[in-house]
């Protein structure tokens, strides 16, 4: 089971339809099951049968999760693969010692692969859909896999299966979500 | 949150409105009407029906003119949304965008500039599941325009029911049209929705069809009790 975490301002909001359900559709197409959980309802631990966690994006104006990052402390205690998308990548950054600042991109953008990884399309670059008002400075020791002209686009923790992408792979880059699912047991 | 729904009169914008009403408060519909009716009849054959839909739903309507010139459309959209914010206190916008990155990028940018929320509740939904849900939820939708093979003239005014849906599914397989019509293969008009207080009855309409292109021009319509 893949746990889809919604960092939006409220559980089951219109943001869920836009940022969680499209990811769920890719998970289903990969013949896996998923469960929805709003970040405020997770508590200290994620469900035992979780094989992978995807922290999804939020609406452009929704940055309330940035002031509630302690709600994601369970991330530090898990060895289960985690993919953070947009807001999810910002959460990973803050949880592991990186920083988040201003930096907006909206629409299709050229993303340059600087460190090839099976998670991403092959180098040199690919087009990706962006929808963010903040950007990330990755945690110390994390690797930057890809960048756009504006900011860091993909990161990974070299010691744990934790990945962040700033673009929205559920739009025209399903392969990124599929590659992540390949890394999850089950 | 008070929201304005961008409405073209078709199934996607009104289904998005229906979903938005389940979560937030829909304060108004917003529509852009091209100045030159000749140019838009073939793109948005229902736009003149939106005021009647707004009335049926009991919602105020913000209707603004657009030049129809591509580069100017964004300014027209921005003006319409600013008026909706001022007049009806909307804090965000809802669209029926399904997969169009081009459209959604433009709307997201306008909302960002105006400091408005932007929601696209149908974004990247499975087309088959969405169409099933549309029908099951009690929407009454007719085809008001066709712009692609293999649609013949009998589609003009045809209701989107289960039979029509299975034929569309066949077309999507065999003719590579999008099931939802988002590729512009067909346009729809909503006559009744679960949140309408009254339904629309077409009293007079004129079909025009030639070589896989056609529209149902609704000349006269009224509201009737459901």
């Amino acid at each position: 089971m893949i746990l889809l975490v919604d960092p939006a301002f409220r559980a089951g909001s219109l943001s869920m339809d836009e940022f969680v359900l499209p990811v769920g559709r890719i998970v289903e197409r990969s013949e896996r099951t998923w469960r929805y959980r709003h970040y405020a309802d997770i508590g200290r631990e994620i469900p035992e049968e979780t094989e992978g966690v995807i922290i999804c994006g939020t609406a452009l104006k929704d940055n309330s999760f940035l002031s509630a990052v302690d709600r994601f402390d369970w991330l530090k205690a898990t060895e289960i693969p985690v993919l953070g998308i947009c807001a999810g990548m910002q959460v990973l950054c803050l949880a592991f010692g990186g920083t988040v600042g201003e930096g907006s991109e909206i629409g299709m953008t050229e993303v340059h692969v600087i460190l090839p990884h099976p998670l991403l399309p092959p180098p040199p670059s690919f087009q990706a859909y962006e929808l963010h008002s903040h950007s990330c400075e990755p945690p110390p020791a994390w690797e930057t896999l890809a960048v756009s002209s504006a900011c860091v686009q993909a990161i990974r923790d070299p010691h744990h299966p934790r990945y962040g992408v700033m673009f929205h792979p559920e739009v025209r880059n399903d392969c990124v979500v599929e590659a992540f699912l390949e890394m999850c047991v089950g | 949150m008070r929201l304005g729904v961008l409405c073209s009169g078709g199934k996607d914008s009104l289904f998005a409105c229906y979903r938005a009403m389940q979560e937030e408060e829909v304060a108004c519909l917003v529509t852009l009407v091209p100045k030159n009716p000749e140019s838009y009849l073939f793109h948005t054959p229902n736009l003149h029906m939106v005021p009647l839909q707004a009335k049926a739903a009991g919602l105020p309507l913000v209707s603004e003119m657009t030049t129809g010139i591509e580069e100017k459309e964004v300014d027209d959209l921005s003006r319409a949304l600013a008026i909706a914010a001022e007049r009806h206190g909307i804090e965000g916008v809802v669209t029926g965008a399904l997969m169009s990155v081009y459209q959604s990028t433009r709307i997201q940018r306008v909302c960002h500039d105006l400091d408005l929320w932007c929601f696209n509740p149908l974004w990247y939904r499975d087309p088959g599941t969405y169409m099933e849900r549309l029908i099951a939820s009690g929407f009454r939708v007719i085809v008001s325009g066709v712009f692609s093979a293999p649609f013949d003239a009998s589609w003009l005014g045809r209701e989107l029911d289960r039979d029509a849906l299975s034929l569309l599914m066949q077309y999507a397989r065999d003719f590579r049209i999008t099931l939802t019509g988002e590729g512009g293969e067909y346009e729809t008009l909503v006559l009744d929705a679960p949140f309408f207080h009254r339904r629309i009855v077409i009293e007079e309409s004129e079909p025009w069809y030639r070589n896989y292109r056609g529209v149902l021009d609704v000349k006269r319509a009224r509201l009737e009790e459901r």
Side-chain angles (χ1 to χ4, degrees), chain B residues 44-172:
Chain B
T44 45
N46 321 307
L47 231 33
H48 65 293
M49 296 291 285
V50 175
L52 203 57
Q53 290 172 329
K55 225 172 167 182
L59 288 169
L61 174 66
V62 173
S63 179
E64 279 296 299
M65 284 285 190
T66 176
T67 52
I69 302 164
E70 213 173 323
E71 305 80 53
K72 292 269 176 67
E73 265 176 9
V74 171
D75 298 336
D76 298 330
L77 176 63
S78 179
R79 193 183 65 245
L81 294 179
I83 290 171
E86 194 189 301
R87 223 178 268 166
H88 302 290
I90 65 164
E91 302 157 78
V93 176
V94 178
T95 87
L98 294 163
M99 295 189 75
S100 169
V101 162
Y102 175 73
Q103 285 296 355
S104 91
T105 298
R106 285 169 24 134
I107 295 164
Q108 289 278 3
R109 284 191 180 139
V110 168
C111 289
H112 187 58
D113 291 345
L114 293 172
D115 198 28
L116 290 170
W117 289 71
C118 183
F119 294 109
N120 304 280
L122 295 175
W123 192 234
Y124 275 68
R125 192 59 16 84
D126 175 70
T129 316
Y130 160 51
M131 295 291 278
E132 292 274 359
R133 240 187 96 196
L134 175 78
I135 294 169
S137 305
F139 278 79
R140 218 180 137 234
V141 180
I142 60 165
V143 174
S144 56
V146 295
F147 307 97
S148 149
F151 291 104
D152 61 29
S154 75
W155 279 92
L156 294 174
R158 179 168 182 172
E159 185 170 344
L160 270 190
D161 54 13
R162 291 217 151 71
D163 288 343
L165 179 56
S166 45
L167 204 49
L168 285 176
M169 281 175 169
Q170 196 187 312
Y171 288 180

Side-chain angles (χ1 to χ4, degrees), chain A residues 9-18 21-22 25 59-62 104 106-108 129 131 133 170-172, chain B residues 1 3 19-20 23-24 91 94 99 101 104-105 108-109 112 115-121 123-127:
Chain A
F9 64 106
R10 194 178 71 220
S13 73
L14 294 174
S15 280
M16 175 190 76
D17 298 49
E18 187 171 346
L21 299 187
R25 197 180 147 200
L60 199 53
K61 241 180 96 66
D62 185 359
S104 174
I106 302 172
M108 296 307 290
Y129 184 64
L131 190 64
S133 54
E170 70 275 20
V171 178
R172 299 191 184 181
Chain B
M1 199 185 299
L3 300 175
R19 171 67 187 124
E23 294 298 329
E24 311 290 344
E91 302 157 78
V94 178
M99 295 189 75
V101 162
S104 91
T105 298
Q108 289 278 3
R109 284 191 180 139
H112 187 58
D115 198 28
L116 290 170
W117 289 71
C118 183
F119 294 109
N120 304 280
W123 192 234
Y124 275 68
R125 192 59 16 84
D126 175 70

